[in-house]
């Protein structure tokens, strides 16, 4: 089974094999903005996953809880993702 990170790139390849024009006939978008996304011929539009920022925010929140600085049962923290526009979408 192909990696989920490569599925969108595979979709671009199959579209090209079948004569489907991207993005005119089909828009394709991936998630994670792996290096290969910018290397494929039509350039894969992706959402860049801010994994480092999510990890840092989680670590800060955990340390605050361990110190007793946060006493709510749960909190929500939004770490914005970034759209990387390329030719596929």
């Amino acid at each position: 089974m192909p990696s989920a990170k490569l599925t969108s790139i595979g979709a671009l390849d199959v579209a090209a094999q079948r004569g489907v024009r991207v993005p005119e006939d089909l828009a394709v978008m991936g998630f994670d903005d792996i290096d290969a996304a910018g290397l494929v011929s039509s350039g894969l539009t992706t959402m860049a996953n801010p994994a480092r920022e999510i990890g840092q925010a989680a670590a800060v929140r955990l340390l605050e809880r361990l110190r007793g600085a946060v006493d709510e049962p749960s909190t929500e923290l939004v770490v914005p993702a970034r759209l990387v526009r390329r030719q596929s979408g």
Side-chain angles (χ1 to χ4, degrees), residues 43-60:
L44 179 64
T45 296
T46 64
M47 288 299 296
N49 180 18
R52 178 181 295 276
E53 291 84 357
I54 291 169
Q56 287 174 335
V60 167

Side-chain angles (χ1 to χ4, degrees), residues 30-74:
F31 186 82
D32 258 1
D33 196 33
I34 60 174
D35 291 337
L39 301 176
V40 292
S41 61
S42 61
L44 179 64
T45 296
T46 64
M47 288 299 296
N49 180 18
R52 178 181 295 276
E53 291 84 357
I54 291 169
Q56 287 174 335
V60 167
R61 189 61 52 104
L62 175 61
L63 291 172
E64 289 172 348
R65 284 196 180 278
L66 291 173
R67 286 194 317 263
V70 176
D71 56 359
E72 301 107 25
S74 66

Side-chain angles (χ1 to χ4, degrees), residues 8-9 11-13 16 22-23 26-30 33-47 83-89:
S8 299
I9 293 172
L12 291 175
D13 188 42
V22 176
L26 175 70
V28 179
M29 185 170 170
D33 196 33
I34 60 174
D35 291 337
L39 301 176
V40 292
S41 61
S42 61
L44 179 64
T45 296
T46 64
M47 288 299 296
L83 177 64
V84 180
R85 291 185 187 265
R86 295 191 182 95
Q87 293 79 23
S88 73

